[in-house]
Amino acid sequence: MKIYLDGELVEKEDAKISVFDHGFLYGDGIFEGIRAYNGRVFRLKEHLERLWASAKGINLEIPINRKEMEKAIIKTLLANKLSDAYIRLIVTRGCGDLSLDPRNCAKPPSIVIITDQIKLYPEEFYEKGMEAITVSIRRIRQDSLSPNIKSLNYLNNILAKMQAVRSGVAEAIILNAEGYVVECTGDNIFIVKNEVIYTPSGSEGALIGITRDAVIELAKNRSKISVKEGRISLYDVYIADECFLTGTAAEIIPVVAVDSRTIGDGKPGRITTKLIKEFKSLARSSGTPIK
Ligand SMILES: *Cc1c(COP(=O)(O)O)cnc(C)c1O
């Protein structure tokens, strides 16, 4: 497996970063998770736009431009002969000293691109649906840290994941400081009630996922189902007809039980199943060609 590291393609064993890199010391850096389907990178422009926005949010200057980043991603996919892949793009603050001050990071930020084939959850979950629980860990308030910065510090999400896993469930529903549903550990959440789709809005503290956007577009334009972004309570989730999660790594996954309550009839819902099908066909037929 070849890894892109600061302009070079190196073997996995040689893809190493200094212990003085502030990404390692402080989680000072940003990332994107991107997918390629059928020889095309899905919504690459949108992912790069969000990466550059995350960078601006933490005042980090990415040392190459978007076109060069696009080329670096394609080059890495080609080197690994991948046409269907998960792409992890990381930009760290770079090598500094033990102080927090990024001005002491002399080197330009490091860019890492890892391409691999991953499935976030077992295949069975995609077919039969999965279970989620609400955890006690709350989402960091967005007036402290914007959820839209995909930073290298995911402790909030990791603690939530650990709590779910401790309870024997693969995914956690995270609430905001006010106690409303925000999202899961790396996925956005949707519910369906009486043929209307609902999802927490950005102002509730949800990260605006690119898969989330694609699903909203498909629902509105292709299926003519109305989508409402707003405030969702746990009660709304419990009494929903359907529930599903979206994310680049997870793709679209049905949720059939939450906090020991069966959602709908306990099977992946009709609208969820339709959206999964439409998303697959959209992902396979659009995007930046790997060539
Ligand atoms: C990346 C991420 C998502 C999903 O966003 P996509 O762009 O669809 O991959 C959702 N929640 C969190 C916390 C994330 O980091």
Side-chain angles (χ1 to χ4, degrees):
M1 181 197 277
K2 296 266 196 234
I3 313 279
Y4 177 98
L5 176 61
D6 297 328
E8 312 273 347
L9 285 170
V10 298
E11 284 303 329
K12 188 176 173 181
E13 298 71 37
D14 304 319
K16 290 184 181 139
I17 291 248
S18 163
V19 294
F20 287 97
D21 190 292
H22 278 208
F24 172 71
L25 284 174
Y26 299 116
D28 187 357
I30 52 170
F31 76 97
E32 273 299 317
I34 310 172
R35 265 192 195 272
Y37 296 92
N38 195 30
R40 292 156 176 267
V41 185
F42 187 64
R43 304 232 158 155
L44 182 54
K45 189 172 145 277
E46 287 83 349
H47 280 285
L48 294 184
E49 210 154 274
R50 188 169 65 189
L51 183 79
W52 257 262
S54 290
K56 200 158 197 184
I58 66 163
N59 207 7
L60 174 79
E61 202 166 322
I62 300 175
I64 61 176
N65 66 32
R66 291 180 206 205
K67 198 76 215 160
E68 289 164 333
M69 188 68 90
E70 189 178 314
K71 279 193 184 143
I73 292 168
I74 306 276
K75 194 167 105 177
T76 313
L77 286 165
L78 286 172
N80 289 297
K81 299 186 174 62
L82 289 169
S83 57
D84 290 84
Y86 176 80
I87 303 152
R88 174 61 59 92
L89 178 52
I90 304 151
V91 186
T92 78
R93 185 75 71 178
C95 216
D97 58 16
L98 289 177
S99 86
L100 288 174
D101 194 341
R103 286 177 307 176
N104 299 329
C105 299
K107 229 175 78 172
S110 269
I111 299 174
V112 178
I113 304 169
I114 305 167
T115 56
D116 205 351
Q117 282 175 318
I118 65 157
K119 260 235 171 309
L120 199 60
Y121 305 112
E123 191 54 45
E124 195 198 346
F125 288 3
Y126 289 90
E127 287 157 16
K128 294 186 180 153
M130 74 189 295
E131 186 177 351
I133 60 159
T134 314
V135 293
S136 60
I137 294 284
R138 295 292 173 97
R139 176 56 85 230
I140 295 169
R141 284 178 58 108
Q142 49 183 329
D143 51 2
S144 295
L145 184 65
S146 170
N148 281 304
I149 297 172
K150 275 185 100 84
S151 88
L152 295 185
N153 187 330
Y154 256 51
L155 273 177
N156 186 233
N157 312 52
I158 290 164
L159 291 175
K161 185 76 156 188
M162 283 164 68
Q163 207 182 334
V165 169
R166 262 202 316 277
S167 305
V169 171
E171 199 46 79
I173 294 177
I174 305 171
L175 309 178
N176 62 20
E178 289 75 40
Y180 291 94
V181 172
V182 182
E183 58 177 333
C184 294
T185 59
D187 310 329
N188 289 112
I189 186 166
F190 287 77
I191 56 171
V192 184
K193 183 74 183 171
N194 298 332
E195 312 283 311
V196 177
I197 297 176
Y198 299 86
T199 192
S201 60
S203 53
E204 292 300 308
L207 177 140
I208 304 300
I210 287 163
T211 321
R212 176 185 182 276
D213 281 347
V215 163
I216 292 173
E217 277 169 39
L218 285 172
K220 285 185 181 165
N221 304 337
R222 212 170 288 183
S223 300
K224 309 287 175 214
I225 304 167
S226 70
V227 181
K228 293 191 173 149
E229 295 176 53
R231 175 164 272 189
I232 290 175
S233 69
L234 268 179
Y235 171 73
D236 298 328
V237 176
Y238 296 156
I239 64 154
D241 300 327
E242 302 180 27
C243 178
F244 62 90
L245 314 180
T246 68
T248 297
E251 302 175 285
I252 305 175
I253 182 143
V255 174
V256 294
V258 173
D259 297 340
S260 306
R261 290 150 175 94
T262 302
I263 303 300
D265 63 0
K267 296 195 189 85
R270 180 175 51 82
I271 291 176
T272 306
T273 308
K274 188 163 192 267
L275 286 168
I276 290 173
K277 217 171 130 215
E278 284 175 355
F279 179 79
K280 275 194 184 139
S281 116
L282 175 73
R284 288 185 62 81
S285 61
S286 63
T288 308
I290 305 169
K291 63 170 181 6

